[in-house]
Structure formats: structure tokens, C-alpha cells
């Protein structure tokens, strides 16, 4: 498989990553950074992206294009981020601002679209014609591929599954609404529930509390996952609860979209079967027409945290041929 080298950038609410990717989906060089605090200027975030681009270019000056997967609403022009709940972008002309400084063809897309494209071309979605991806990280990202095409919707903002309402008048979401799916099935939800229990001094939290040396503020999703893998019953229960909410949401998505496969990615997916087992069980229980229709597969992403980088680079490569 021949084709030019491209750079993929995956910029999220808490961290950013980039890499040089060849036409086989192999990462040849990588760079990672922490995303600046959301309260800072959009220019600060843009400088962060440029630093991630610059690092791989040092050893690969023959790169032909750059793709950026941004954690926000990217309209059909694939040039602007109109809204980013966890970053300071509002109607930000990202392609124009960065394209001039990078000096290469540049494509902007939603980060979940980049991730699903990576999994569709090179990962867990290979060979599947109807694919939906759900990324559980700080929040929830979503993407749809049907018949070899990323489905972006009329205005480019399809796949914002995070903000489906699953609990009327539920927990307030950063998007401004209440009861959004990501308030119950995400890394933030996992950590929030663990911290509530720790703050209550419940006897259930003894082992998990020891993991963070007595401070709930230092608790993180990876710590909960590691505790679950060591058999911590509370950690297993907390991840299972996120998994059950994941199952509720994907049953709704199956009713609307009827894919053959759901790919579950993002940092929370590192919990593996602690997450996916309860998700599959709840999915089957809530699936419309259960027992009388084929069931979609629910599988873990194959490319891990690199899916967004690889997919963004592939989107940039595709744009060169159009």
C-alpha cells in the first residue's frame, strides 16, 4: 500500500497527541502534550497543536498533509470548530489559522470522526460496512461510518451522542443541558461517583482510598481501572455502573442506526470486560425487538489511544486525492 506520509493530530479536553503515519496506518513518530486549561485563549491551544506538529516534522520533512481531530463541533466545511465544550473554541477558523503557519494542506474534523476512521481502515472495524464508535474519555465522543463514508450530517455535527438525554432533569452537563449520556457513562462520571463515596467516608472505599493516599482530589479513572484489575470490589462496581449506562445508550443508538458493530474506545475502555461485560448485558436487555433481530457486536477498539492520530492522518491523506 503506497501513499504519502501524513501527520495526524488528536486534540482533546485534557491532552493532545500527534504522529507521522504511513499509508499502512503505521505510526513512524509520535509526540504528546497536555492540553492547556480550558479557560485560556484559543491561541494557546493552537500553539500547543503547532508544537505537536513540529516535533514529528523534524525527522520526516517529506510529510504531505496534516489532519486534526478536534474535540468539538466541526461543521460541514471541515475548517471551523464552532463549539468545544472543554476547550475555548467558539466559531474558531482553525484550518485558516493553522494552515498558514504549518505550510501544508490541512484538514479539520471532529476527534471521534478521526478515531472511527482509524478503526474502520486499520482496526476493529475493518470489514464492517456499518460501524458506530463510542469513545469514553473525559466525556463521550461518537462517530458513524456507513458504506465506507463518515456520516457527518447536514451541518457536520452528527455523532454527538454524548448529549443525548438519558435522564430527564438529570445531572447538569457542561453543554448546558441536564441528563446527558456522558454524565453517566464517561471517565468524568466514573471519577465523580468514586469521589462522592470517598467524601462520604463510606466503609466501602477503604481499598480505593488507600490508592490515592487519602485525597479524593487525586483520584483518576486509570487508578480506578487498576484497582478493579487487582480485584477491588468497589472499583469493579463503579466501572460496571458506567458499563450499564453505556449499554443503555448504545441500545438507543442501535434502534436509530442499526449498525453491525459498536467499537468502544477512549481511556475508559482500558477497563476491558469490567466495562464491556455489563454494557453487553444491558444492551441486550434494552434492545428494541430483542430476541427477534440480529444483535450488533460490541468490541473494544484495536488501536487504543492512537486511533485518533491514525484516523486524522488518514483523513488528511484521503483529502489529497480528492
Amino acid at each position: 500500500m503506497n501513499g504519502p506520509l501524513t501527520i495526524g493530530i488528536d486534540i482533546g479536553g485534557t491532552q493532545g497527541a500527534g504522529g507521522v503515519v504511513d499509508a499502512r496506518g503505521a505510526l513512524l513518530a509520535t509526540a504528546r502534550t497536555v492540553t492547556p486549561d480550558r479557560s485560556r485563549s484559543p491561541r494557546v491551544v493552537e500553539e500547543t497543536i503547532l508544537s505537536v506538529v513540529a516535533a514529528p516534522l523534524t525527522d520526516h520533512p517529506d510529510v504531505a498533509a496534516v489532519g486534526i481531530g478536534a474535540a468539538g463541533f466541526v461543521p460541514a466545511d471541515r475548517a471551523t470548530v464552532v463549539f468545544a465544550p472543554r476547550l475555548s473554541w467558539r466559531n474558531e477558523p482553525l484550518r485558516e489559522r493553522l494552515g498558514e503557519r504549518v505550510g501544508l494542506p490541512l484538514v479539520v474534523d471532529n476527534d471521534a470522526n478521526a478515531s472511527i476512521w482509524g478503526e474502520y481502515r486499520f482496526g476493529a472495524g475493518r470489514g464492517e460496512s456499518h460501524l458506530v464508535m463510542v469513545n469514553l474519555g473525559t466525556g463521550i465522543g461518537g462517530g458513524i461510518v456507513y458504506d465506507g463514508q463518515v456520516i457527518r450530517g447536514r451541518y457536520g455535527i452528527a455523532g454527538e451522542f454524548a448529549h443525548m438525554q438519558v435522564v430527564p432533569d438529570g445531572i447538569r452537563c457542561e453543554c448546558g443541558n441536564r441528563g446527558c449520556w456522558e454524565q453517566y457513562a464517561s471517565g468524568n462520571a466514573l471519577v465523580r461517583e468514586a469521589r462522592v463515596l470517598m467524601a462520604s467516608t463510606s466503609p466501602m472505599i477503604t481499598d480505593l482510598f488507600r490508592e490515592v493516599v487519602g485525597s479524593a482530589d487525586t483520584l483518576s479513572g486509570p487508578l480506578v481501572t487498576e484497582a478493579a484489575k487487582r480485584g477491588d470490589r468497589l472499583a469493579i462496581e463503579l466501572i460496571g455502573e458506567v458499563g450499564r449506562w453505556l449499554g443503555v445508550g448504545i441500545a438507543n443508538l442501535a434502534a436509530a442506526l442499526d449498525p453491525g458493530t459498536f467499537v468502544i474506545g477512549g481511556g475508559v475502555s482500558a477497563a476491558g470486560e469490567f466495562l464491556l461485560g455489563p454494557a453487553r448485558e444491558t444492551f441486550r436487555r434494552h434492545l428494541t425487538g430483542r430476541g427477534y433481530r440480529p444483535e450488533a457486536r460490541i468490541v473494544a477498539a484495536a488501536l487504543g489511544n492512537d486511533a485518533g492520530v491514525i484516523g486524522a492522518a488518514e483523513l488528511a491523506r484521503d483529502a489529497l486525492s480528492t
Side-chain angles (χ1 to χ4, degrees):
M1 185 183 294
N2 297 317
L5 298 182
T6 53
I7 286 179
I9 303 293
D10 183 8
I11 189 80
T14 58
Q15 58 186 331
V20 177
V21 182
D22 69 16
R24 295 178 174 83
L27 273 166
L28 306 182
T30 60
R32 296 188 181 277
T33 188
V34 174
T35 303
D37 183 85
R38 74 188 70 179
S39 64
R40 299 184 185 177
S41 162
R43 304 293 86 77
V44 177
V45 182
E46 290 167 14
E47 292 297 330
T48 302
I49 295 173
L50 289 169
S51 70
V52 175
V53 171
L57 272 176
T58 303
D59 296 323
H60 297 277
D62 53 341
V63 162
V66 175
I68 297 176
F73 296 2
V74 179
D77 65 4
R78 297 176 67 193
T80 306
V81 181
V82 297
F83 176 69
R86 292 185 175 80
L87 293 168
S88 50
W89 290 325
R90 302 293 183 269
N91 292 310
E92 191 67 21
L94 201 58
R95 187 173 68 188
E96 177 184 345
R97 290 188 182 279
L98 295 182
E100 294 174 353
R101 299 180 63 183
V102 170
L104 292 168
L106 190 144
V107 171
V108 179
D109 213 324
N110 174 265
D111 58 340
N113 286 345
S115 292
I116 195 172
W117 197 240
E119 291 289 342
Y120 171 73
R121 295 295 292 269
F122 306 111
R126 293 183 72 175
E128 175 60 72
S129 61
H130 291 67
L131 180 70
V132 170
M133 187 168 186
V134 179
N135 280 332
L136 274 64
T138 308
I140 295 178
I144 308 163
V145 167
Y146 268 30
D147 291 331
Q149 299 291 326
V150 175
I151 303 302
R152 296 183 172 87
R154 172 65 178 84
Y155 301 105
I157 309 176
E160 290 296 334
F161 311 142
H163 304 292
M164 300 186 305
Q165 188 185 61
V166 295
V167 179
D169 298 322
I171 297 169
R172 175 75 71 180
C173 180
E174 291 179 346
C175 77
N177 292 328
R178 288 186 177 275
C180 293
W181 189 26
E182 76 170 20
Q183 294 304 314
Y184 302 89
S186 66
N188 273 356
L190 175 64
V191 172
R192 182 190 67 232
E193 293 304 304
R195 287 176 176 173
V196 166
L197 282 172
M198 292 175 70
S200 72
T201 65
S202 166
M204 293 178 62
I205 56 86
T206 303
D207 293 340
L208 194 56
F209 193 73
R210 189 179 300 120
E211 290 296 320
V212 294
V213 199
S215 173
D217 291 340
T218 62
L219 185 67
S220 67
L223 277 176
V224 179
T225 297
E226 289 305 312
K229 291 177 178 178
R230 289 195 299 273
D232 185 288
R233 287 180 296 176
L234 175 59
I236 292 169
E237 180 180 331
L238 290 167
I239 292 170
E241 183 67 12
V242 170
R244 285 185 285 277
W245 278 112
L246 174 61
V248 169
I250 61 178
N252 291 338
L253 292 173
L257 300 172
D258 192 30
T261 301
F262 285 96
V263 174
I264 311 301
V268 182
S269 69
E273 288 302 310
F274 292 117
L275 175 79
L276 296 182
R280 292 190 188 102
E281 180 181 345
T282 307
F283 171 73
R284 294 187 186 105
R285 194 162 62 246
H286 287 263
L287 183 64
T288 303
R290 54 192 172 275
Y292 296 95
R293 59 175 288 176
E295 289 185 11
R297 297 187 308 136
I298 300 172
V299 299
L303 301 181
N305 290 332
D306 295 328
V309 171
I310 293 170
E314 187 68 5
L315 288 170
R317 185 176 296 106
D318 294 342
L320 289 173
S321 61
T322 59

